Amino acid sequence: MHVLEQAGYEVYIVGGAVRDFLCGRPIHDYDLTTSASPAEMQELFHAYQTNTQGLKHGTLGVILQGRKTEITTYRQDNSYTDHRHPGNVTFTRSVQEDCARRDFTINAMVYHPDTGIRDFFGGMQDLDSRIIRTVGDPVQRFEEDALRIMRAIRFSSELGFTIEPATDAAIFRKKEDLRYIAAERLQEELIRILKAPYGTEVIFRYLPVLQVFLPEIASVPEALRTLPAVPEMKMAALLSAVPESSVHGILTRMKFSREFCIHTEEMIQSLDIPLKNRKDLKHMLNRMRTPFGDLLTFKSAFDSSIQKSRMLSIYGDIQNMGDCYRLKDLKINGEDMIRIGFRNQEIGKALQTILEQVIEGKLPNEKTSLTAYAEDLFQSADTENTYNSF
Ligand code: ATP
Ligand code: MG
C-alpha cells in the first residue's frame, strides 16, 4: 500500500479480508484494489517477485515475505457473454465503480488503515444483520456470472448468514445457468459447502440448486445432520442412495481428486459390509484404504446397531496383537508365489484369497501351511485352465 501511495495512487484492502476482519474471523489473505493501471503497477513493483498471469484482467500478484498479495486495478466488468466471464473489462479510477462490480454487499467494502471502511452498498448493515445480498439486481448479477449462485450459498454455509429474499428468489430462478459453469469451479464451491459449519442446512434448503449439476441426488439423507463436516463423508452420504455403479462416474464428472473419489466410494461401499465382529473388521481393513475411524463414523450414522466403542476397542486390540489383515502381514509373499508357479495378476489374486482364509481363521498365518495351501490353489487353478483349454 505504501509503494502505491508514495507514487500518488489510491489503494484499499478489499473483499474477503475486510469482511472477515469485521466479522472477527481469521483473515487468510489480503486482496488490494488500486487506481494504478496494470502497467503502472508493474512499473512500481518491478523490483519485487511478481506473478503477472492475471495482468490482462488487472491483477498483479506481489510476493512479500513469502506471501502473495493480489493487487487489482479498479475495474468495471461489462458485457458478460458466457455466463461466467466479462466479455470486456474496463479499468477505471473510481473505487466506487470497482465495488459495484463485486458480487455481494459484504464483499464490496474497502478499508484503509488511515480512513477506515468505505461502504457504498450497505455491506456493514448486511454484515450486522447477517445477510447475503447481491450488489445490484440479483437476477442480472447471476445472469452475468452464474458462479455467483454457488458463491452465495457457499458464503451462507460458511458464515451462517441468510440469503436476502430477492437474492434467494433469483438463485432459484437462475439456477439452471449453473450448466455454463466448469465442473472444477462447482466442485470447489461444493467442497467448501460440505466443510462449512452451516453446510448441512444449506444443502437441505438449496438441494434444487445442487441438483442442476447433481441430478442423481433425489433427496438429502437425515444422516447428513449427524456426520462431521468432512467433505468425503458428506458427499458419500449425499450419494448413498444412488446406484453404486453410477457413483464413480458422478465423482469423476465433478473432477474430484483421486483420493477424494476413493474415500467417498469406500464409505458408500462400507454400508453394505457387515461390521459386527473382529473378522468383519479385519475384512474391512483389508479391503479399504480410508481410515477406519472415518468408515466407522460414517457407517454408524446410517446404522444405529453398530457398536461404535466396541468396534474401536477391537480395532485397538487388532493393532496391539498384530493380527494379520493386510497382504504384507502374510507369512508368504509374491516371490514365494512365483516359485510355486503363479504369474502376473494371478499372484495378487491368490494372495488375496489366502489372506481372506487367514482372516476367516480357516488357515494359520504360518509359512508351511500357507505354502501348502498356495500349492493346492495353484494345482486346482492349473487343472481348471487345462480343462478350459480343451
Ligand atoms: P474467500 O477468499 O473466503 O473465498 P473472498 O471474498 O476473498 O472470500 P475471493 O474469491 O477471494 O473471495 O474474491 C475476492 C473478492 O473478489 C470478493 O470478495 C469479491 O469482492 C470479488 N469477487 C470474487 N469472485 C467474484 C465474482 N464471481 N463476481 C463478482 N465479484 C467477485
Ligand atoms: Mg479471498
PDB file of all heavy atoms in Angstrom, residues 207-230:
ATOM      1  N   LEU A 207     -31.004 -27.821  -2.112  1.00  0.00           N
ATOM      2  CA  LEU A 207     -30.845 -29.047  -2.908  1.00  0.00           C
ATOM      3  C   LEU A 207     -31.197 -28.834  -4.389  1.00  0.00           C
ATOM      4  O   LEU A 207     -30.455 -29.283  -5.266  1.00  0.00           O
ATOM      5  CB  LEU A 207     -31.657 -30.202  -2.307  1.00  0.00           C
ATOM      6  CG  LEU A 207     -31.552 -31.511  -3.113  1.00  0.00           C
ATOM      7  CD1 LEU A 207     -30.123 -32.047  -3.103  1.00  0.00           C
ATOM      8  CD2 LEU A 207     -32.524 -32.560  -2.592  1.00  0.00           C
ATOM      9  N   PRO A 208     -32.305 -28.132  -4.701  1.00  0.00           N
ATOM     10  CA  PRO A 208     -32.631 -27.955  -6.125  1.00  0.00           C
ATOM     11  C   PRO A 208     -31.512 -27.267  -6.918  1.00  0.00           C
ATOM     12  O   PRO A 208     -31.380 -27.488  -8.121  1.00  0.00           O
ATOM     13  CB  PRO A 208     -33.887 -27.071  -6.094  1.00  0.00           C
ATOM     14  CG  PRO A 208     -34.478 -27.310  -4.738  1.00  0.00           C
ATOM     15  CD  PRO A 208     -33.327 -27.533  -3.813  1.00  0.00           C
ATOM     16  N   VAL A 209     -30.712 -26.450  -6.234  1.00  0.00           N
ATOM     17  CA  VAL A 209     -29.590 -25.791  -6.919  1.00  0.00           C
ATOM     18  C   VAL A 209     -28.508 -26.831  -7.208  1.00  0.00           C
ATOM     19  O   VAL A 209     -27.994 -26.925  -8.330  1.00  0.00           O
ATOM     20  CB  VAL A 209     -29.025 -24.642  -6.041  1.00  0.00           C
ATOM     21  CG1 VAL A 209     -27.801 -24.016  -6.709  1.00  0.00           C
ATOM     22  CG2 VAL A 209     -30.110 -23.597  -5.783  1.00  0.00           C
ATOM     23  N   LEU A 210     -28.195 -27.637  -6.212  1.00  0.00           N
ATOM     24  CA  LEU A 210     -27.168 -28.673  -6.407  1.00  0.00           C
ATOM     25  C   LEU A 210     -27.630 -29.709  -7.443  1.00  0.00           C
ATOM     26  O   LEU A 210     -26.819 -30.264  -8.190  1.00  0.00           O
ATOM     27  CB  LEU A 210     -26.846 -29.369  -5.082  1.00  0.00           C
ATOM     28  CG  LEU A 210     -26.425 -28.463  -3.914  1.00  0.00           C
ATOM     29  CD1 LEU A 210     -26.038 -29.298  -2.699  1.00  0.00           C
ATOM     30  CD2 LEU A 210     -25.275 -27.541  -4.301  1.00  0.00           C
ATOM     31  N   GLN A 211     -28.949 -29.941  -7.487  1.00  0.00           N
ATOM     32  CA  GLN A 211     -29.479 -30.936  -8.439  1.00  0.00           C
ATOM     33  C   GLN A 211     -29.270 -30.530  -9.899  1.00  0.00           C
ATOM     34  O   GLN A 211     -29.320 -31.386 -10.772  1.00  0.00           O
ATOM     35  CB  GLN A 211     -30.966 -31.180  -8.176  1.00  0.00           C
ATOM     36  CG  GLN A 211     -31.184 -32.093  -6.983  1.00  0.00           C
ATOM     37  CD  GLN A 211     -32.649 -32.175  -6.577  1.00  0.00           C
ATOM     38  OE1 GLN A 211     -33.386 -31.197  -6.744  1.00  0.00           O
ATOM     39  NE2 GLN A 211     -33.069 -33.316  -6.055  1.00  0.00           N
ATOM     40  N   VAL A 212     -29.002 -29.259 -10.144  1.00  0.00           N
ATOM     41  CA  VAL A 212     -28.742 -28.840 -11.528  1.00  0.00           C
ATOM     42  C   VAL A 212     -27.515 -29.579 -12.064  1.00  0.00           C
ATOM     43  O   VAL A 212     -27.503 -30.041 -13.201  1.00  0.00           O
ATOM     44  CB  VAL A 212     -28.546 -27.306 -11.626  1.00  0.00           C
ATOM     45  CG1 VAL A 212     -28.092 -26.895 -13.024  1.00  0.00           C
ATOM     46  CG2 VAL A 212     -29.828 -26.590 -11.240  1.00  0.00           C
ATOM     47  N   PHE A 213     -26.493 -29.731 -11.224  1.00  0.00           N
ATOM     48  CA  PHE A 213     -25.310 -30.471 -11.711  1.00  0.00           C
ATOM     49  C   PHE A 213     -25.165 -31.838 -11.057  1.00  0.00           C
ATOM     50  O   PHE A 213     -24.297 -32.613 -11.449  1.00  0.00           O
ATOM     51  CB  PHE A 213     -24.032 -29.626 -11.571  1.00  0.00           C
ATOM     52  CG  PHE A 213     -23.794 -29.056 -10.199  1.00  0.00           C
ATOM     53  CD1 PHE A 213     -23.028 -29.748  -9.272  1.00  0.00           C
ATOM     54  CD2 PHE A 213     -24.322 -27.831  -9.835  1.00  0.00           C
ATOM     55  CE1 PHE A 213     -22.797 -29.227  -8.001  1.00  0.00           C
ATOM     56  CE2 PHE A 213     -24.098 -27.303  -8.570  1.00  0.00           C
ATOM     57  CZ  PHE A 213     -23.343 -27.992  -7.649  1.00  0.00           C
ATOM     58  N   LEU A 214     -26.014 -32.130 -10.076  1.00  0.00           N
ATOM     59  CA  LEU A 214     -26.018 -33.472  -9.474  1.00  0.00           C
ATOM     60  C   LEU A 214     -27.459 -34.014  -9.472  1.00  0.00           C
ATOM     61  O   LEU A 214     -28.050 -34.237  -8.415  1.00  0.00           O
ATOM     62  CB  LEU A 214     -25.468 -33.415  -8.048  1.00  0.00           C
ATOM     63  CG  LEU A 214     -23.969 -33.156  -7.905  1.00  0.00           C
ATOM     64  CD1 LEU A 214     -23.597 -32.841  -6.464  1.00  0.00           C
ATOM     65  CD2 LEU A 214     -23.167 -34.364  -8.401  1.00  0.00           C
ATOM     66  N   PRO A 215     -28.040 -34.214 -10.670  1.00  0.00           N
ATOM     67  CA  PRO A 215     -29.444 -34.619 -10.736  1.00  0.00           C
ATOM     68  C   PRO A 215     -29.686 -35.997 -10.108  1.00  0.00           C
ATOM     69  O   PRO A 215     -30.823 -36.333  -9.788  1.00  0.00           O
ATOM     70  CB  PRO A 215     -29.736 -34.644 -12.245  1.00  0.00           C
ATOM     71  CG  PRO A 215     -28.407 -34.806 -12.894  1.00  0.00           C
ATOM     72  CD  PRO A 215     -27.420 -34.116 -12.012  1.00  0.00           C
ATOM     73  N   GLU A 216     -28.633 -36.768  -9.943  1.00  0.00           N
ATOM     74  CA  GLU A 216     -28.775 -38.125  -9.383  1.00  0.00           C
ATOM     75  C   GLU A 216     -29.204 -38.109  -7.920  1.00  0.00           C
ATOM     76  O   GLU A 216     -29.726 -39.098  -7.409  1.00  0.00           O
ATOM     77  CB  GLU A 216     -27.446 -38.888  -9.499  1.00  0.00           C
ATOM     78  CG  GLU A 216     -26.970 -39.120 -10.946  1.00  0.00           C
ATOM     79  CD  GLU A 216     -26.104 -37.987 -11.482  1.00  0.00           C
ATOM     80  OE1 GLU A 216     -26.044 -36.907 -10.830  1.00  0.00           O
ATOM     81  OE2 GLU A 216     -25.495 -38.166 -12.551  1.00  0.00           O
ATOM     82  N   ILE A 217     -28.936 -36.981  -7.221  1.00  0.00           N
ATOM     83  CA  ILE A 217     -29.297 -36.921  -5.800  1.00  0.00           C
ATOM     84  C   ILE A 217     -30.778 -36.545  -5.688  1.00  0.00           C
ATOM     85  O   ILE A 217     -31.150 -35.396  -5.923  1.00  0.00           O
ATOM     86  CB  ILE A 217     -28.419 -35.889  -5.047  1.00  0.00           C
ATOM     87  CG1 ILE A 217     -26.947 -36.260  -5.199  1.00  0.00           C
ATOM     88  CG2 ILE A 217     -28.817 -35.809  -3.576  1.00  0.00           C
ATOM     89  CD1 ILE A 217     -25.986 -35.221  -4.618  1.00  0.00           C
ATOM     90  N   ALA A 218     -31.599 -37.534  -5.321  1.00  0.00           N
ATOM     91  CA  ALA A 218     -33.038 -37.281  -5.292  1.00  0.00           C
ATOM     92  C   ALA A 218     -33.460 -36.591  -4.006  1.00  0.00           C
ATOM     93  O   ALA A 218     -34.383 -35.783  -3.992  1.00  0.00           O
ATOM     94  CB  ALA A 218     -33.793 -38.592  -5.474  1.00  0.00           C
ATOM     95  N   SER A 219     -32.770 -36.914  -2.902  1.00  0.00           N
ATOM     96  CA  SER A 219     -33.128 -36.284  -1.627  1.00  0.00           C
ATOM     97  C   SER A 219     -31.917 -36.310  -0.708  1.00  0.00           C
ATOM     98  O   SER A 219     -30.942 -37.023  -0.978  1.00  0.00           O
ATOM     99  CB  SER A 219     -34.282 -37.046  -0.980  1.00  0.00           C
ATOM    100  OG  SER A 219     -33.831 -38.341  -0.663  1.00  0.00           O
ATOM    101  N   VAL A 220     -32.008 -35.543   0.368  1.00  0.00           N
ATOM    102  CA  VAL A 220     -30.872 -35.462   1.296  1.00  0.00           C
ATOM    103  C   VAL A 220     -31.139 -36.399   2.473  1.00  0.00           C
ATOM    104  O   VAL A 220     -32.176 -36.272   3.135  1.00  0.00           O
ATOM    105  CB  VAL A 220     -30.694 -34.012   1.799  1.00  0.00           C
ATOM    106  CG1 VAL A 220     -29.467 -33.913   2.707  1.00  0.00           C
ATOM    107  CG2 VAL A 220     -30.576 -33.045   0.631  1.00  0.00           C
ATOM    108  N   PRO A 221     -30.247 -37.345   2.746  1.00  0.00           N
ATOM    109  CA  PRO A 221     -30.498 -38.260   3.870  1.00  0.00           C
ATOM    110  C   PRO A 221     -30.357 -37.541   5.213  1.00  0.00           C
ATOM    111  O   PRO A 221     -29.526 -36.640   5.352  1.00  0.00           O
ATOM    112  CB  PRO A 221     -29.398 -39.316   3.710  1.00  0.00           C
ATOM    113  CG  PRO A 221     -28.305 -38.641   2.954  1.00  0.00           C
ATOM    114  CD  PRO A 221     -28.967 -37.617   2.073  1.00  0.00           C
ATOM    115  N   GLU A 222     -31.175 -37.942   6.174  1.00  0.00           N
ATOM    116  CA  GLU A 222     -31.114 -37.347   7.512  1.00  0.00           C
ATOM    117  C   GLU A 222     -29.726 -37.523   8.143  1.00  0.00           C
ATOM    118  O   GLU A 222     -29.294 -36.711   8.957  1.00  0.00           O
ATOM    119  CB  GLU A 222     -32.177 -37.968   8.425  1.00  0.00           C
ATOM    120  CG  GLU A 222     -33.567 -37.381   8.215  1.00  0.00           C
ATOM    121  CD  GLU A 222     -33.636 -35.875   8.433  1.00  0.00           C
ATOM    122  OE1 GLU A 222     -33.106 -35.381   9.452  1.00  0.00           O
ATOM    123  OE2 GLU A 222     -34.209 -35.187   7.569  1.00  0.00           O
ATOM    124  N   ALA A 223     -29.042 -38.615   7.753  1.00  0.00           N
ATOM    125  CA  ALA A 223     -27.721 -38.911   8.329  1.00  0.00           C
ATOM    126  C   ALA A 223     -26.750 -37.740   8.152  1.00  0.00           C
ATOM    127  O   ALA A 223     -25.806 -37.590   8.921  1.00  0.00           O
ATOM    128  CB  ALA A 223     -27.132 -40.164   7.694  1.00  0.00           C
ATOM    129  N   LEU A 224     -27.025 -36.905   7.135  1.00  0.00           N
ATOM    130  CA  LEU A 224     -26.128 -35.769   6.887  1.00  0.00           C
ATOM    131  C   LEU A 224     -26.000 -34.877   8.129  1.00  0.00           C
ATOM    132  O   LEU A 224     -24.963 -34.281   8.374  1.00  0.00           O
ATOM    133  CB  LEU A 224     -26.674 -34.945   5.716  1.00  0.00           C
ATOM    134  CG  LEU A 224     -25.645 -34.115   4.967  1.00  0.00           C
ATOM    135  CD1 LEU A 224     -24.719 -35.008   4.169  1.00  0.00           C
ATOM    136  CD2 LEU A 224     -26.317 -33.126   4.030  1.00  0.00           C
ATOM    137  N   ARG A 225     -27.063 -34.833   8.921  1.00  0.00           N
ATOM    138  CA  ARG A 225     -27.068 -33.951  10.093  1.00  0.00           C
ATOM    139  C   ARG A 225     -26.118 -34.407  11.186  1.00  0.00           C
ATOM    140  O   ARG A 225     -25.638 -33.602  11.969  1.00  0.00           O
ATOM    141  CB  ARG A 225     -28.477 -33.878  10.695  1.00  0.00           C
ATOM    142  CG  ARG A 225     -29.513 -33.295   9.749  1.00  0.00           C
ATOM    143  CD  ARG A 225     -30.810 -33.038  10.511  1.00  0.00           C
ATOM    144  NE  ARG A 225     -31.948 -32.844   9.636  1.00  0.00           N
ATOM    145  CZ  ARG A 225     -32.242 -31.680   9.047  1.00  0.00           C
ATOM    146  NH1 ARG A 225     -31.495 -30.621   9.264  1.00  0.00           N
ATOM    147  NH2 ARG A 225     -33.285 -31.596   8.252  1.00  0.00           N
ATOM    148  N   THR A 226     -25.878 -35.720  11.264  1.00  0.00           N
ATOM    149  CA  THR A 226     -25.055 -36.211  12.373  1.00  0.00           C
ATOM    150  C   THR A 226     -23.592 -36.389  11.967  1.00  0.00           C
ATOM    151  O   THR A 226     -22.743 -36.591  12.821  1.00  0.00           O
ATOM    152  CB  THR A 226     -25.590 -37.572  12.886  1.00  0.00           C
ATOM    153  OG1 THR A 226     -25.647 -38.473  11.777  1.00  0.00           O
ATOM    154  CG2 THR A 226     -26.972 -37.423  13.481  1.00  0.00           C
ATOM    155  N   LEU A 227     -23.305 -36.306  10.681  1.00  0.00           N
ATOM    156  CA  LEU A 227     -21.924 -36.508  10.232  1.00  0.00           C
ATOM    157  C   LEU A 227     -21.061 -35.282  10.499  1.00  0.00           C
ATOM    158  O   LEU A 227     -21.543 -34.158  10.405  1.00  0.00           O
ATOM    159  CB  LEU A 227     -21.906 -36.805   8.730  1.00  0.00           C
ATOM    160  CG  LEU A 227     -22.391 -38.181   8.299  1.00  0.00           C
ATOM    161  CD1 LEU A 227     -22.511 -38.241   6.783  1.00  0.00           C
ATOM    162  CD2 LEU A 227     -21.430 -39.263   8.790  1.00  0.00           C
ATOM    163  N   PRO A 228     -19.782 -35.494  10.810  1.00  0.00           N
ATOM    164  CA  PRO A 228     -18.886 -34.343  10.923  1.00  0.00           C
ATOM    165  C   PRO A 228     -18.665 -33.701   9.550  1.00  0.00           C
ATOM    166  O   PRO A 228     -18.920 -34.339   8.529  1.00  0.00           O
ATOM    167  CB  PRO A 228     -17.585 -34.959  11.449  1.00  0.00           C
ATOM    168  CG  PRO A 228     -17.637 -36.397  11.093  1.00  0.00           C
ATOM    169  CD  PRO A 228     -19.089 -36.777  11.019  1.00  0.00           C
ATOM    170  N   ALA A 229     -18.191 -32.455   9.546  1.00  0.00           N
ATOM    171  CA  ALA A 229     -18.049 -31.715   8.290  1.00  0.00           C
ATOM    172  C   ALA A 229     -16.791 -32.144   7.524  1.00  0.00           C
ATOM    173  O   ALA A 229     -15.925 -31.342   7.217  1.00  0.00           O
ATOM    174  CB  ALA A 229     -18.046 -30.216   8.569  1.00  0.00           C
ATOM    175  N   VAL A 230     -16.716 -33.432   7.239  1.00  0.00           N
ATOM    176  CA  VAL A 230     -15.630 -33.978   6.406  1.00  0.00           C
ATOM    177  C   VAL A 230     -16.224 -34.159   5.015  1.00  0.00           C
ATOM    178  O   VAL A 230     -17.187 -34.910   4.855  1.00  0.00           O
ATOM    179  CB  VAL A 230     -15.146 -35.343   6.968  1.00  0.00           C
ATOM    180  CG1 VAL A 230     -14.104 -35.969   6.059  1.00  0.00           C
ATOM    181  CG2 VAL A 230     -14.631 -35.174   8.389  1.00  0.00           C
TER     182      VAL A 230
END
